[in-house]
Amino acid sequence: MKYLIILLSILSPFFSIAQTGAVQGKITANGKALPAATVMFLKTSFRMATPVSGNYALKEVPPGNYTLSVSGVGYITYKQQVNIAADSTIVLDVELKEREGDLNEVVVTGTMKEVSRLESPVPVEVYRPSHFQKNPTPSLFDAIGMINGVRPQLNCNICNTGDIHINGMEGPYTLILIDGMPIVSSLSTVYGLSGIPNSLVERIEVVKGPASSLYGSEAMGGVINVITKNPKNAPLVSIDAFGTSWQEYNVDAALKLGGKKVQGLLGMNYFNYQHPEDHNQDGFTDVTLQNRISIFNKWNFVRKENRVASIAARFVNEDRWGGQMSWNKAYRGSDSIYGESIYTRRWEFIGQYQLPVKEKIMTQFSYNWHNQNSWYGNVPYMATQQVGFAQLYWDKMIGKEHNLLLGGTYRYTWYDDNTPGTLSADGLVNVPAKTPLPGIFIQDEWKFTERQTLLAGYRYDYDKHHGSIHSPRLAYKFSPNAKNTFRASFGTGFRVVNLFTEDHAALTGARQVVITEELKPERSYNGNLNYVLKVPSESFLLGLDITGFYSYFTNKITGDFDQNPNQIIYSNLNGHAISRGLSLNSELSFYFPLKVLAGFTYSDVYQLDDHGQGRIRTTQLHAPKWSGNYLLSYTFPKDFSVDFTGVFTGPMRLPVQPNDYRPERSPWFTIANVQLTKKFGNGLEIYGGIKNIFAFIPKYSLIRAFDPFDKTANDPVSNPNGYTFDTEYNYAPLQGRRIFAGIRYNLLSHL
């Protein structure tokens, strides 16, 4: 008996091998074999990647209950419980569905109607909040710096205001939309981008290049459309809060309201930074101090036949200041201690309503009121702007090939400030600017074959000062297969002048504004070529998105910083301007949880101006020829992930003074960040990391910081070069390395 027991113990492993089972089958997508799909039993070592044939087999599996998981890059993960019996083989074929957020994701910005990204004849880039959460920021202005070709440019070293550049074009050429309506524009472009609660953002859509045929004035360089969440699909409660070692604190929170017929979403963003720092020891704050609150409320109404009806409102209140370290509000507006103090208050209302008729006829409306009370040293800037917008359009399918869009818009802008921009011709009377801008547009999207689409659009606007403005557009898309897509678009754009948007330097108090002539509207002529390629393999999926762009501008409004260091001289360009270049976005996703994103943009932005001695080429300020971004993301077991993100920027031309000791070109630099995130099963996440890990800050910033009011600037002994105090020499934030940590929580709802 003793020897029998020993024999059985020796042979038991062989019996166990014989008493195993297996599961096998084929993984497909869209009816075709799917290579590089990961097939595994969760919480075991049984896993494999499918070959080109898509076939898989997990063998020698001990009997028991398992969870089979099948995943692929760009596809929804499939899970199923499997009971493995001894000496049995289960045959299980799996068809994976493409994940939302890939090329089948619905977008609206390119054509003003819902269409999948793959089918859109206009290239649209889509970014979800998860993309920006890999490097959390307190505002949309900071977040979109993670998008290739989109660059937030700080225009003031003291008040830290800025604008958004697309493909090297300045901020006034970028139109910011919220749910498709031009809420953030003109005066609010500088300050209105802060305070949009990230917890309410469903996605951000970016169209690069002129889109005036649909959106009118200001859409010359591109469009950024912030799509807010549908309350129906939002979490019941969400909160995201983080702080940094610089004592910056940010809280984003949202609450779902209502029931089956009416669903609402209430959101709040609060940002506070009240700890002055002067690491470069120039006597001025490195970062503007801010105290900002933004409240957003959106309501959707459930109607018959899924007709649309929604209304939303947002309120923003901000108090920011920067300046000499000894400044406080008692010195606001004085000429003894320099400070730039800005009080901003803003209301926004937006809504849309689908008419209760058989045809799909949409109405959209918005209104915003923006008030600014500012002092730049001892120079005041007081301004109020109101913008009303209404739009009606008809979306009609004609047969199976034509989708017609026909509509009319009316935009009314009321603007008043205490600058020369709103003075009468004789300079004696203040005359608020009133700009009505009616327009009509038509667009036909003709899908004349299964693989080819042609879009033709035309818009007519009438401005009381500039007369009729015509904006045609033509776009073509060809997709020979699911892996290759070619797009070409051509069109024109225009922009009606608002002096505030031309350059924030006009209001910092450091330079005098000089307008040499009545400014005419700018016009642009643009062409884009786009190619999208998807390369699947057994171990990874590679996506490439390449775009070449070219824009020709007439009547371009230029600010001359060079003729007189104490002035900005505005005039229409006596010549033309060019913006041309190439951008590449690449995405590399492996079958194991590693994702790599990288992009670069080359842009050549310049103008040819005739000063009476032939045309002189001048490179645009703050327009680097090379820029880009990068992201590496890896997820470890148990939902622990690490993200390495960053942007790089090449040399750019900067506004310097005669005989300036500061270089006219900025250096190459990168700002990189690292973040660690741990997700828990109950909707809770904790995260932390380091921003600007290489601690890059500009070597030079302010000039003559010891004499910000230029009281001794005319002294030839102490100031032989005639330098004047100027805040516009800027190419990167003055904030160095800092640690951050935060918590994120989402409580899901089943309403």
Side-chain angles (χ1 to χ4, degrees):
M1 179 63 69
K2 177 180 178 181
Y3 296 105
L4 178 61
I5 295 175
I6 294 174
L7 179 62
L8 290 174
S9 64
I10 295 174
L11 295 176
S12 61
F14 298 96
F15 288 120
S16 63
I17 291 176
Q19 297 173 352
T20 60
V23 59
Q24 66 184 35
K26 186 173 185 178
I27 309 301
T28 58
N30 298 319
K32 298 180 180 180
L34 182 65
T38 301
V39 184
M40 62 183 297
F41 284 134
L42 297 181
K43 299 181 180 180
T44 73
S45 60
F46 292 94
R47 64 183 296 164
M48 68 166 291
T50 57
V52 175
S53 64
N55 295 322
Y56 77 94
L58 300 179
K59 301 178 180 179
E60 298 181 356
V61 182
N65 291 318
Y66 299 90
T67 300
L68 180 70
S69 173
V70 183
S71 60
V73 176
Y75 298 92
I76 298 174
T77 299
Y78 173 91
K79 293 181 181 180
Q80 180 171 322
Q81 295 295 319
V82 177
N83 186 358
I84 301 294
D87 298 323
S88 67
T89 298
I90 297 175
V91 178
L92 180 61
D93 296 332
V94 176
E95 173 83 8
L96 291 185
K97 296 181 179 180
E98 289 190 345
R99 181 186 303 277
E100 292 183 6
D102 199 34
L103 292 178
N104 282 339
E105 182 173 30
V106 172
V107 296
V108 298
T109 306
T111 58
M112 204 182 285
K113 56 188 179 61
E114 292 187 347
V115 62
S116 72
R117 287 182 64 198
L118 181 63
E119 295 297 325
S120 174
V122 178
V124 181
E125 298 179 23
V126 180
Y127 297 90
R128 293 281 180 176
S130 57
H131 177 77
F132 304 110
Q133 287 172 356
K134 297 181 184 300
N135 178 34
T137 60
S139 73
L140 175 64
F141 178 82
D142 299 311
I144 61 174
M146 294 179 65
I147 301 175
N148 180 35
V150 180
R151 184 172 178 272
Q153 169 61 41
L154 290 177
N155 294 325
C156 176
N157 277 324
I158 296 178
C159 60
N160 286 172
T161 54
D163 51 26
I164 295 176
H165 295 198
I166 295 181
N167 287 343
M169 297 304 300
E170 296 167 294
Y173 300 87
T174 300
L175 179 64
I176 310 294
L177 306 173
I178 297 181
D179 289 337
M181 281 163 278
I183 285 293
V184 182
S185 59
S186 298
L187 171 62
S188 61
T189 300
V190 176
Y191 298 101
L193 293 173
S194 300
I196 297 177
N198 292 329
S199 58
L200 298 176
V201 176
E202 174 70 22
R203 66 184 186 273
I204 293 177
E205 299 180 1
V206 180
V207 175
K208 298 173 182 177
S212 293
S213 63
L214 275 185
Y215 297 104
S217 178
E218 298 179 34
M220 292 182 71
V223 176
I224 297 175
N225 193 1
V226 181
I227 309 295
T228 60
K229 289 181 179 178
N230 185 333
K232 179 181 178 180
N233 304 323
L236 184 63
V237 177
S238 64
I239 187 169
D240 190 347
F242 71 88
T244 74
S245 56
W246 278 52
Q247 300 184 41
E248 302 162 294
Y249 304 102
N250 184 79
V251 178
D252 252 316
L255 175 65
K256 182 174 181 176
L257 306 170
K260 294 184 178 180
K261 294 294 184 181
V262 181
Q263 296 147 359
L265 193 61
L266 177 65
M268 181 273 295
N269 169 260
Y270 179 69
F271 177 72
N272 185 279
Y273 172 60
Q274 300 294 321
H275 186 69
E277 295 281 359
D278 180 23
H279 290 253
N280 63 357
Q281 298 182 351
D282 61 0
F284 279 72
T285 54
D286 293 336
V287 180
T288 303
L289 283 76
Q290 299 178 54
N291 187 10
R292 180 183 66 244
I293 186 168
S294 174
I295 300 174
F296 183 94
N297 192 201
K298 180 178 182 179
W299 292 94
N300 280 8
F301 303 91
V302 178
R303 301 173 61 205
K304 294 180 179 179
E305 300 179 6
N306 293 321
R307 292 192 179 102
V308 176
S310 67
I311 190 170
R314 183 170 78 111
F315 171 73
V316 181
N317 189 80
E318 182 184 69
D319 176 3
R320 69 164 65 192
W321 76 269
Q324 292 179 288
M325 293 290 288
S326 57
W327 187 92
N328 59 55
K329 291 185 178 180
Y331 297 102
R332 196 171 192 260
S334 73
D335 64 353
S336 55
I337 298 179
Y338 190 91
E340 296 186 0
S341 172
I342 300 110
Y343 300 154
T344 302
R345 182 166 294 183
R346 178 172 176 82
W347 285 97
E348 299 169 354
F349 300 93
I350 61 177
Q352 54 183 338
Y353 180 78
Q354 184 177 350
L355 298 184
V357 295
K358 183 179 179 180
E359 299 290 340
K360 186 177 181 180
I361 301 178
M362 297 291 299
T363 61
Q364 296 177 314
F365 53 89
S366 67
Y367 169 79
N368 66 75
W369 176 87
H370 186 107
N371 178 263
Q372 189 168 315
N373 180 320
S374 311
W375 284 91
Y376 301 90
N378 60 349
V379 176
Y381 173 67
M382 309 296 171
T384 302
Q385 175 182 275
Q386 300 179 69
V387 179
F389 173 80
Q391 179 167 271
L392 175 72
Y393 67 89
W394 177 35
D395 187 354
K396 174 67 174 178
M397 283 296 301
I398 301 177
K400 296 182 179 180
E401 299 177 349
H402 292 271
N403 191 331
L404 183 69
L405 198 69
L406 177 65
T409 67
Y410 184 81
R411 182 173 175 179
Y412 184 86
T413 303
W414 186 96
Y415 174 80
D416 190 21
D417 65 22
N418 63 325
T419 74
T422 55
L423 286 179
S424 60
D426 57 13
L428 299 177
V429 181
N430 183 61
V431 181
K434 301 176 182 178
T435 310
L437 192 63
I440 58 174
F441 60 89
I442 185 171
Q443 175 181 279
D444 179 32
E445 187 174 336
W446 177 24
K447 190 169 184 178
F448 54 92
T449 72
E450 188 64 28
R451 299 177 179 179
Q452 299 183 79
T453 303
L454 181 67
L455 182 145
Y458 170 79
R459 182 183 179 102
Y460 171 80
D461 292 270
Y462 181 81
D463 182 81
K464 66 179 183 179
H465 298 295
H466 309 304
S468 299
I469 304 173
H470 307 272
S471 304
R473 176 171 71 157
L474 191 68
Y476 170 75
K477 180 189 75 71
F478 173 55
S479 297
N481 51 55
K483 298 178 182 179
N484 295 271
T485 302
F486 300 87
R487 293 181 176 93
S489 61
F490 308 90
T492 67
F494 75 95
R495 187 167 69 93
V496 177
V497 177
N498 183 305
L499 182 63
F500 182 91
T501 68
E502 309 318 318
D503 200 300
H504 185 254
L507 303 168
T508 61
R511 298 189 184 222
Q512 177 189 2
V513 177
V514 177
I515 303 174
T516 61
E517 60 187 5
E518 181 180 351
L519 300 178
K520 301 175 183 178
E522 295 186 5
R523 297 305 307 264
S524 72
Y525 306 88
N526 172 268
N528 281 359
L529 295 176
N530 173 256
Y531 174 53
V532 177
L533 172 66
K534 295 178 68 176
V535 183
S537 76
E538 295 187 2
S539 56
F540 64 84
L541 175 65
L542 174 64
L544 297 175
D545 190 328
I546 307 171
T547 301
F549 55 90
Y550 183 92
S551 294
Y552 179 96
F553 296 87
T554 62
N555 293 334
K556 189 174 187 296
I557 299 165
T558 61
D560 187 342
F561 287 73
D562 303 322
Q563 186 172 333
N564 187 327
N566 294 315
Q567 296 179 337
I568 303 177
I569 303 172
Y570 287 112
S571 62
N572 284 112
L573 186 67
N574 185 22
H576 65 270
I578 299 292
S579 171
R580 59 186 181 182
L582 180 74
S583 69
L584 169 65
N585 288 321
S586 62
E587 179 177 348
L588 182 62
S589 300
F590 296 89
Y591 72 86
F592 57 92
L594 173 65
K595 177 180 286 189
V596 180
L597 303 179
F600 79 86
T601 297
Y602 169 81
S603 62
D604 186 17
V605 186
Y606 63 92
Q607 63 187 34
L608 294 172
D609 197 4
D610 190 346
H611 295 280
Q613 300 177 346
R615 291 188 173 180
I616 299 175
R617 173 171 170 149
T618 305
T619 303
Q620 181 177 289
L621 292 169
H622 298 119
K625 284 197 172 184
W626 294 95
S627 63
N629 64 340
Y630 47 89
L631 184 154
L632 287 84
S633 182
Y634 187 86
T635 302
F636 295 91
K638 298 183 179 180
D639 288 326
F640 178 76
S641 61
V642 58
D643 301 298
F644 180 74
T645 62
V647 297
F648 66 87
T649 307
M652 68 184 83
R653 179 172 169 257
L654 301 170
V656 295
Q657 300 185 23
N659 303 313
D660 203 325
Y661 58 86
R662 302 171 298 182
E664 187 180 8
R665 301 277 174 174
S666 62
W668 282 88
F669 68 92
T670 184
I671 295 180
N673 321 280
V674 64
Q675 175 181 260
L676 305 177
T677 304
K678 168 62 179 175
K679 293 183 179 181
F680 299 89
N682 56 0
L684 178 67
E685 299 178 28
I686 58 174
Y687 59 87
I690 303 174
K691 290 180 177 289
N692 196 3
I693 57 178
F694 301 126
F696 176 82
I697 59 172
K699 183 178 180 180
Y700 303 100
S701 55
L702 300 175
I703 191 170
R704 288 184 62 82
F706 58 87
D707 185 21
F709 295 99
D710 289 332
K711 293 182 178 180
T712 62
N714 295 323
D715 184 353
V717 176
S718 62
N719 188 23
N721 292 309
Y723 296 145
T724 58
F725 179 70
D726 199 350
T727 67
E728 305 311 311
Y729 188 94
N730 186 289
Y731 56 89
L734 294 173
Q735 196 170 21
R737 184 187 298 115
R738 58 202 186 279
I739 299 171
F740 68 95
I743 185 171
R744 189 177 295 123
Y745 177 69
N746 289 287
L747 176 62
L748 300 180
S749 168
H750 300 287
L751 288 178

